[in-house]
Amino acid sequence: MSTNIQAGQVGYHVENGIGTISFHHPAHNSMPSPLLHILTQTIEQAGADPSARVIVLKSAGDRTFCAGASFDELAAIEDFDTGKRFFTGFAKVINALRRCSKLVIGRVQGKAVGGGVGIAAACDYCLATQHADIKLSELAVGIGPFVVGPAVERKIGLSAFSQLAINATEWHSANWAMERGLYANVYSNIADMDAAILELAQKLAQSSPEAMHELKTIFWQGTQHWDQFLEERAAISGRLVLSEYSKKAIAKIKS
């Protein structure tokens, strides 16, 4: 894999009962396989950490929360097993957020694309800025939002998910996403959003861990089959990314 695929980092720290997970990649916080793997492990670590009562998930930078899949890595996929394994990386992140015993607050400071929308949807509560537009661009490159789809549909409903999936080249505003339930609130700037996140996280850090865990169990009721389900969805993307249409579309975007 290229140096660009290997770049990026994930951080985790706890302060006053608030566990903060942060991720970064120089290509607009895109997610190559190594970063997806580390992010999954870090979410699992935070979920098992008794010093963290609530988790905040964030990315670096000002204007992009997560650009989704790494196009460098997508372009390099040449067989089904590699393709399925790559898309399973997003499935594992979503399932780690689903299984995490702590409530997860998503901090969406900028645009989210594809897998980035799925990560936001898998958080239990999301706050965003006015710059946090969303797009599910997968169909435009010959695949579809098969892995992130269940998480997005669960959060915003089938109709809104269908709009995002079908109109794959159109950005939908942060307010559009808030009106459909992806974001709990949208702020005009990062400082106001961060103040609201801190206030909520501090309240939750003082709440009953048992009660919050039971609430989360109810929120995610009916998704116990997602480990296998999302892996099956990853297989669809892994097959389609090998098509001539997909290879040409990815190459065109990269150029």
Side-chain angles (χ1 to χ4, degrees):
M1 293 185 292
S2 71
T3 301
N4 192 43
I5 290 176
Q6 294 286 12
Q9 59 185 0
V10 177
Y12 171 62
H13 73 274
V14 183
E15 184 176 350
N16 298 323
I18 302 169
T20 300
I21 299 172
S22 59
F23 62 90
H24 166 69
H25 191 280
H28 305 288
N29 292 326
S30 59
M31 301 296 286
S33 291
L35 203 61
L36 289 168
H37 178 68
I38 296 170
L39 181 58
T40 298
Q41 289 184 321
T42 306
I43 294 166
E44 292 172 346
Q45 174 191 348
D49 185 355
S51 68
R53 292 196 168 194
V54 62
I55 297 167
V56 175
L57 179 63
K58 60 185 287 188
S59 66
D62 296 335
R63 290 299 179 92
T64 305
F65 171 68
C66 178
S70 164
F71 272 88
D72 284 341
E73 193 168 0
L74 281 176
I77 293 172
E78 295 183 350
D79 61 84
F80 170 74
D81 288 340
T82 302
K84 179 183 176 183
R85 187 162 54 249
F86 172 72
F87 290 104
T88 299
F90 280 98
K92 288 181 177 179
V93 170
I94 290 171
N95 277 320
L97 290 167
R98 174 182 65 85
R99 291 192 303 264
C100 179
S101 62
K102 320 288 175 59
L103 294 174
V104 180
I105 302 171
R107 175 191 183 270
V108 187
Q109 83 283 18
K111 291 183 176 180
V113 185
V117 181
I119 292 173
C123 292
D124 300 298
Y125 195 95
C126 263
L127 295 177
T129 73
Q130 62 182 345
H131 304 294
D133 299 348
I134 62 173
K135 178 168 65 172
L136 290 179
S137 59
E138 288 89 343
L139 187 60
V141 294
I143 50 178
F146 300 110
V147 173
V148 304
V152 177
E153 181 183 344
R154 167 188 168 272
K155 187 59 71 75
I156 69 175
L158 178 59
S159 177
F161 166 61
S162 299
Q163 292 176 50
L164 286 173
I166 292 170
N167 198 349
T169 60
E170 180 179 337
W171 288 100
H172 289 70
S173 72
N175 283 325
W176 184 93
M178 179 181 69
E179 291 166 359
R180 285 149 185 84
L182 181 64
Y183 305 143
N185 208 345
V186 170
Y187 298 87
S188 61
N189 57 71
I190 289 177
D192 288 348
M193 175 190 65
D194 282 343
I197 289 173
L198 179 60
E199 181 181 3
L200 175 61
Q202 288 174 333
K203 290 178 181 178
L204 293 175
Q206 300 301 316
S207 298
S208 163
E210 293 79 10
M212 289 188 288
H213 175 62
E214 292 295 340
L215 265 180
K216 179 149 185 173
T217 301
I218 291 172
F219 295 157
W220 286 93
Q221 191 172 5
T223 63
Q224 292 84 354
H225 65 297
W226 275 24
D227 286 322
Q228 180 180 346
F229 180 45
L230 296 191
E231 184 175 344
E232 292 169 354
R233 289 293 192 90
I236 300 175
S237 294
R239 171 174 53 84
L240 290 174
V241 79
L242 298 174
S243 71
E244 191 66 23
Y245 182 97
S246 184
K247 288 190 173 298
K248 287 182 178 179
I250 292 170
K252 183 177 180 180
I253 291 174
K254 276 180 59 61
S255 65

